[in-house]
Amino acid sequence: MKAKGQAVDIKIDAEEMAAYLDEVFPQVRGMFGIDRLDKDLLVMRLHADDRHLRPGGTVSGPAMFSLADVAAYVATMAFVGKQALAVTTHCSIDFMRKPEAGKDLLAEAKVLKLGRALSVTDVLLFSEGSDKPVAHASLTYSIPPARG
Amino acid sequence: MKAKGQAVDIKIDAEEMAAYLDEVFPQVRGMFGIDRLDKDLLVMRLHADDRHLRPGGTVSGPAMFSLADVAAYVATMAFVGKQALAVTTHCSIDFMRKPEAGKDLLAEAKVLKLGRALSVTDVLLFSEGSDKPVAHASLTYSIPPARG
Amino acid sequence: MKAKGQAVDIKIDAEEMAAYLDEVFPQVRGMFGIDRLDKDLLVMRLHADDRHLRPGGTVSGPAMFSLADVAAYVATMAFVGKQALAVTTHCSIDFMRKPEAGKDLLAEAKVLKLGRALSVTDVLLFSEGSDKPVAHASLTYSIPPARG
Amino acid sequence: MKAKGQAVDIKIDAEEMAAYLDEVFPQVRGMFGIDRLDKDLLVMRLHADDRHLRPGGTVSGPAMFSLADVAAYVATMAFVGKQALAVTTHCSIDFMRKPEAGKDLLAEAKVLKLGRALSVTDVLLFSEGSDKPVAHASLTYSIPPARG
């Protein structure tokens, strides 16, 4: 998840991040998992769950958006530290293939820019076991100034 | 909701559309309402509901995405007729202001292009009672060929 | 061009803005015109010109992007005052119809959000004389702090 | 430039593609170069040129859009063959850093989806010699049916 060309390291590891997500987003507790979180890569998982299904049995667009959004949040927070009030200001997402029915959805997230006030994160979504991306997103987070 | 410069009229009215949404998206039954649906405007409503809240008590980004997505779907279906398998291929969304806590979220949707295979819909989201948009989205739907 | 729900008025009129554009973007002098600039609407014009044509005789995608970009810049500057170093941070653009050959391209721009650090502007592009939009864009400008 | 998970190979090599671009886009002859074109990667170059500069001496947004657009076109054409009338239907672009003055701009393009009617291409832009991306874009091309 290391931003290409940036030397920064992460401040929060996977275990601490999972606990933090449960604390700030209790309404989605159990929905997402963190498979990997280091400075080179974030991999998040959306557990297959009937609540998110569309006609045809695949993961819905809103559930894919949610996964991309939380992955960009986690990827950014890992570098800047806990900022519960960081907010998404933009998302562009291309839905390219139908996710496979009954499979978890995985997000691979990379921070492309980490500025003082904004981050830009690239996210690719895959059905578990496939290397063809089902969706591709770019998300911008506005990062509030840290309180001393 | 009439596409500017297009003479087409809607094929499905609000009541029929509401019943159709319950049928094809049973998992979100009761989440959305249709305030207005005619050839000039679609107004959809996301009922304020604790499930969709973020830290701070406002509607979450994914819930705003869901409202924009379903509004674009309904706006498109109103013109082309029932196509349950139409799929979102792209969404760009700017989150511009914090929605007001405890208020329903309203979507105003206009179809900008209605092609044979694709539609493009512009959606503005407002907290009920405010005229400052909280989000602005453009969504593309891929429309499968009608079956004879 | 008044942002819906915002009471602010413009600080720069069409004549002054045209002179300012010539000053800060001399390389595109003569390429664009301002048909209307008041707090309710900005209309900009891209003069039909062989330099911007694609195979088939229509305005190219990059020329449409340029028009949307300069319109968002002008719409924002009109409210915030001259900020030559404001920069585009994001653009999403849907190309929906083929522009008409030999016609000027018109942009209608509305500022949807005017924050301290960012503006978001909605732009619709039309071939002159048609009311069917050829493209639809949303642009974000980063506004540097004014120097005292 | 191979789409991840796709076995297809390119149909047009760099030399043939350069000649083809000169033929179909004579108005931008000499503006772009192809550094590399194989099934694993496309690298295109925008030659530094005063025509594309903004205040401050850097490459303009429209010039960056042009490079991303032509790179997505070339990446797609390399796989599908010559289709001069393929058109861009969507572009989302994040401008993340100021390009370096006096440097060529390089685009790395990867086709994420190659469907019958649409392609989706991811493009990262860099100033030559830097590994920090200046912009990130996703472009959709509509591919007309091949004529027999």
Side-chain angles (χ1 to χ4, degrees), chain D residues 18 23 29 31 41 45 54 64 68 76-77 86 93 97 105 113 119 123 128 141 147:
Chain D
E23 178 194 329
R29 195 186 296 260
M31 190 169 161
L41 192 66
R45 173 183 299 267
R54 267 182 65 89
M64 287 190 266
T76 299
M77 294 304 100
I93 185 165
R97 293 178 180 85
L105 205 62
K113 178 183 176 176
S119 70
V123 183
E128 186 163 31
Y141 264 82
R147 281 163 293 184

Side-chain angles (χ1 to χ4, degrees), chain C residues 27 53 89-91 93-95, chain D residues 27 53 89 91 93-95:
Chain C
Q27 72 278 23
L53 297 186
T89 56
H90 179 77
C91 175
I93 184 163
D94 289 293
F95 299 99
Chain D
Q27 72 280 22
L53 298 186
T89 57
C91 175
I93 185 165
D94 289 294
F95 299 100

Side-chain angles (χ1 to χ4, degrees), chain C residues 7 9 57 123 141:
Chain C
D9 203 351
V123 183
Y141 264 82

Side-chain angles (χ1 to χ4, degrees), chain B residues 32 61 109:
Chain B
F32 303 107

Side-chain angles (χ1 to χ4, degrees), chain C residues 41-115:
Chain C
L41 193 66
L42 165 68
V43 180
M44 286 200 74
R45 174 183 298 269
L46 171 67
H47 300 294
D49 179 320
D50 284 7
R51 286 178 302 163
H52 313 121
L53 297 186
R54 267 180 65 88
T58 62
V59 176
S60 70
M64 288 191 266
F65 173 86
S66 295
L67 175 58
D69 190 38
V70 75
Y73 179 83
V74 165
T76 299
M77 295 304 100
F79 285 117
V80 302
K82 298 175 183 176
Q83 297 279 2
L85 297 179
V87 292
T88 315
T89 56
H90 179 77
C91 175
S92 290
I93 184 163
D94 289 293
F95 299 99
M96 299 187 292
R97 294 177 179 84
K98 196 174 161 176
E100 292 177 33
K103 299 277 185 175
D104 282 3
L105 205 63
L106 299 179
E108 296 183 2
K110 289 177 192 166
V111 176
L112 295 179
K113 178 183 176 176
L114 195 59

